[in-house]
Amino acid sequence: MRHDDGREGTATASHGRPRIAALDVVRGFALCGILLANIQPINAVGVIAVKGPATTGAAWMGLLVEQRFFPIFSLLFGVGFSLLLDSAADRAARPRLLLLRRLLVLLAIGLVHMFVLWRGDILTIYAVVGLLVLLPSTWLPRWAVAGLAATLIATSLILGGGFLALVPGLFLLGSALTRYGVIYRIERSTRVPAVLGLVLAAGAAPVLWWQAGSRSGDPDFSVLMAGAGLLLAGVYVCALLVLLRTPLRPALRTVFAPLGRMALTNYLTATLLALAAGHLLGGPPESWSVTTVLLIAAVILTAQWLWSTLWLRRFRQGPLEWLWRWATWARRPPMRVP
């Protein structure tokens, strides 16, 4: 499954293919949003929630942050899975066995994270869905994967299954985009993401307005959250892709790419840092103001960005990414940048 895409890339992934810079930027951006959405839930375990009236800041968080970034992360997981299969098909006799090991190791990491630190861990869900849906889909033709992705996403929205029900469809959508070569051409156009972003924004506006007038107990609220999350996630991604075609590209790569290249390491260490921040602040996390949450996220992300930037100057991957790759390929990969 080779792709002659002629894509730009000065950096090289550890498995030899040129890195697609836009994926690192989008992944890092999504990681920032996920942390912002998770700070209070991470610290809410075992705390009795005392609901107060929703503030303006909390309302905006509900509209622009909550469940808006996990669709990006889920889509990118499917993309990364198929990119790895593409690479492994030329380098391993049994590439699907390699992917099986990768998912099983992720499952082990997720279970440790879930039982030791935070029950809201998403890695376990990703690994299970990957084993049950993504891995078997590699035997299907790409048109079937694309059709199944659309069916699963539409079904989860119609039935109101919530954001977790969207994960299988988003995984398959990311895989289909890779298998059709869309991901390899992601940085070639400005017009396509601009037009698509405007269409998605036009669809998101009435859904967000509807959500703003609804309450969490309403029967259609989960559908609104999921639908608005998908649409707004698409707007965010399209906006980033357009900005990457402007003079802002170096700044975006500097800010987001180091976080994205060490996404697994940063996702897991963010839990520890968020718990430490909560211990220092004290009190129920529901009582924290949006400003407090933003400051916590800013401090954590600044520390992670600094560490990631310095680390990647000397090493090819983050420490957990390196161990994950070692377990995936069953051989020790090079660590230091030559």
Side-chain angles (χ1 to χ4, degrees):
M1 288 188 294
R2 289 185 178 277
H3 295 270
D4 183 15
D5 51 82
R7 60 193 177 276
E8 168 197 0
T10 55
T12 301
S14 57
H15 41 77
R17 62 172 174 82
R19 295 195 71 90
I20 303 173
L23 296 183
D24 290 329
V25 171
V26 173
R27 188 179 296 109
F29 173 77
L31 192 72
C32 294
I34 287 172
L35 172 63
L36 188 58
N38 283 348
I39 285 174
Q40 287 174 295
I42 287 172
N43 285 280
V45 177
V47 177
I48 299 176
V50 179
K51 291 288 183 180
T55 64
T56 302
W60 279 107
M61 286 279 286
L63 289 174
L64 301 178
V65 176
E66 293 180 16
Q67 299 186 25
R68 281 25 177 179
F69 293 92
F70 98 89
I72 304 175
F73 226 62
S74 300
L75 183 78
L76 290 176
F77 189 90
V79 169
F81 188 89
S82 285
L83 286 175
L84 181 57
L85 179 60
D86 192 359
S87 175
D90 293 329
R91 304 178 59 197
R94 302 173 68 183
R96 289 179 180 84
L97 178 60
L98 181 148
L99 294 173
L100 174 63
R101 285 202 301 265
R102 186 170 182 83
L103 291 170
L104 290 175
V105 172
L106 183 66
L107 178 61
I109 294 172
L111 287 173
V112 171
H113 185 228
M114 181 172 63
F115 286 112
V116 175
L117 295 175
W118 182 40
R119 285 177 291 181
D121 168 76
I122 195 69
L123 300 180
T124 303
I125 296 170
Y126 276 17
V128 171
V129 174
L131 289 167
L132 297 179
V133 177
L134 202 50
L135 185 58
S137 75
T138 60
W139 278 278
L140 297 176
R142 61 185 185 178
W143 61 264
V145 174
L148 187 57
T151 301
L152 288 175
I153 291 172
T155 301
S156 65
L157 290 174
I158 293 170
L159 298 181
F163 72 96
L164 289 179
L166 290 169
V167 171
L170 290 169
F171 276 12
L172 294 178
L173 178 58
S175 177
L177 290 174
T178 305
R179 293 175 67 175
Y180 274 100
V182 175
I183 296 301
Y184 295 104
R185 301 189 298 271
I186 198 171
E187 295 193 73
R188 291 184 179 179
S189 173
T190 303
R191 181 180 302 174
V192 172
V195 172
L196 180 59
L198 289 174
V199 171
L200 292 172
V207 179
L208 289 171
W209 178 82
W210 190 4
Q211 179 192 324
S214 303
R215 297 182 179 181
S216 58
D218 293 347
D220 57 356
F221 189 77
S222 63
V223 178
L224 287 174
M225 283 290 287
L230 281 178
L231 292 168
L232 206 55
V235 172
Y236 289 158
V237 172
C238 290
L240 278 174
L241 295 180
V242 171
L243 291 174
L244 283 169
R245 300 278 293 178
T246 71
L248 290 175
R249 177 185 177 87
L252 291 171
R253 290 190 64 174
T254 298
V255 172
F256 293 118
L259 295 171
R261 289 180 61 186
M262 290 177 50
L264 179 63
T265 297
N266 287 326
Y267 172 77
L268 294 172
T269 55
T271 303
L272 289 170
L273 295 173
L275 288 171
H279 180 73
L280 291 174
L281 287 174
E286 290 80 7
S287 67
W288 298 346
S289 68
V290 173
T291 301
T292 299
V293 174
L294 288 171
L295 286 174
I296 294 172
V299 171
I300 292 174
L301 290 170
T302 299
Q304 290 188 324
W305 175 85
L306 182 60
W307 180 45
S308 298
T309 300
L310 295 175
W311 180 275
L312 291 171
R313 288 179 181 176
R314 300 185 62 185
F315 303 105
R316 297 169 183 261
Q317 295 176 293
L320 292 181
E321 286 78 6
W322 180 73
L323 291 172
W324 194 19
R325 177 168 174 75
W326 188 350
T328 298
W329 291 86
R331 60 177 181 267
R332 182 177 177 177
M335 183 67 166
R336 289 187 174 272
V337 173

